[in-house]
Amino acid sequence: QQLAKKMLTSDIEGEGLVGRSVESFNVTLKSLVYKQWGDWLGVATLIVGTMIYTYTSSPYQRFFQQNDSSLSFPMKSNTVSSEALAAIVISPLLVATMTEIFLSRLTLASENFVKSDLHAFCLSYFEALSINFTLTQLTKIGSGRLRPDYLARLASGDSSAEAEGHLSFCSGHASFSFMAMVIVALFLSGKTKVFSQPKNAFPKFLLVVMLPITLAGFVAISRTRDYWHD
């Protein structure tokens, strides 16, 4: 424990992993955000700009035929609801926070080190989230691909359901799930050093890498089973 504490928090000779830049002052969230304000501004700009584009733009209107069998599937409810998707999307933040707290107690890492590590993770997460959000919405609205249940939506007389029927490609559920779960897999891989431990590493690999990716894969497959995508 003393060796771990020295490696992580030593400020006497500048030899620790944290070093003088972190330990010599009390790290605050404000100071961390201010140091990388340009990155946070970029994230906010992407998210706000994409939201404005989404709510002010109409999807591309594709040609279709009333007897097109590929558009004649019935409307179904979501296997993975919007609430479940939201939980998946925010799960990386919860996983990272709990992991950092657990490891800080195990290795006696300093509070400043944990704050810095969590800030770096949160910034990376929101950068990935904003980029994924922008690319997904641009693709959906720009392609205007019709959902497999489009004719059922058209017959329902619900204008919002009909408009949603033009947003088949690409799948937002799939893109956001893979974005979140790949981040979880990479984060846990780094923290557990799963790829640098050749002995008995396969069970850990299955847990920290394959389990999150499998969850994202299940979400993507469910979208085709619900006839929201083909």
Side-chain angles (χ1 to χ4, degrees), residues 75-89:
M75 293 178 65
K76 291 182 61 178
S77 58
N78 293 310
T79 299
V80 180
S81 65
S82 299
E83 293 77 13
L85 177 64
I88 291 173
V89 171

Side-chain angles (χ1 to χ4, degrees), residues 158-184:
D158 187 338
S159 59
S160 62
E162 189 277 330
E164 179 67 28
H166 290 267
L167 303 175
S168 179
F169 181 79
C170 56
S171 170
H173 274 64
S175 67
F176 279 99
S177 295
F178 272 102
M179 179 276 299
M181 292 300 99
V182 168
I183 288 177
V184 168

Side-chain angles (χ1 to χ4, degrees), residues 48-64:
V48 173
T50 302
M51 291 178 66
I52 294 174
Y53 173 75
T54 298
Y55 290 108
T56 58
S57 302
S58 299
Y60 175 72
Q61 301 297 306
R62 284 177 175 258
F63 170 80
F64 70 95

Side-chain angles (χ1 to χ4, degrees), residues 61-133:
Q61 301 297 306
R62 284 177 175 258
F63 170 80
F64 70 95
Q65 294 180 320
Q66 292 285 352
N67 60 350
D68 190 340
S69 60
S70 67
L71 305 177
S72 302
F73 290 88
M75 293 178 65
K76 291 182 61 178
S77 58
N78 293 310
T79 299
V80 180
S81 65
S82 299
E83 293 77 13
L85 177 64
I88 291 173
V89 171
I90 66 173
S91 65
L93 298 175
L94 301 177
V95 170
T97 301
M98 292 187 294
T99 302
E100 290 290 356
I101 292 174
F102 173 76
L103 291 179
S104 66
R105 294 180 179 180
L106 184 66
T107 62
L108 302 182
S110 70
E111 181 180 348
N112 285 348
F113 179 81
V114 173
K115 287 180 181 179
S116 299
D117 217 25
L118 272 177
H119 172 261
F121 175 86
C122 289
L123 178 56
S124 300
Y125 166 81
F126 280 106
E127 286 176 337
L129 179 69
S130 62
I131 293 172
N132 181 77
F133 178 47

Side-chain angles (χ1 to χ4, degrees), residues 201-212:
F202 189 65
K204 188 184 295 185
F205 171 79
L206 290 178
L207 180 63
V208 305
V209 178
M210 292 308 299
L211 185 60

Side-chain angles (χ1 to χ4, degrees), residues 23-38:
E23 289 299 325
S24 58
F25 63 94
N26 183 31
V27 173
T28 64
L29 177 61
K30 182 179 179 180
S31 66
L32 290 170
V33 172
Y34 179 77
K35 185 177 180 180
Q36 295 183 279
W37 67 269

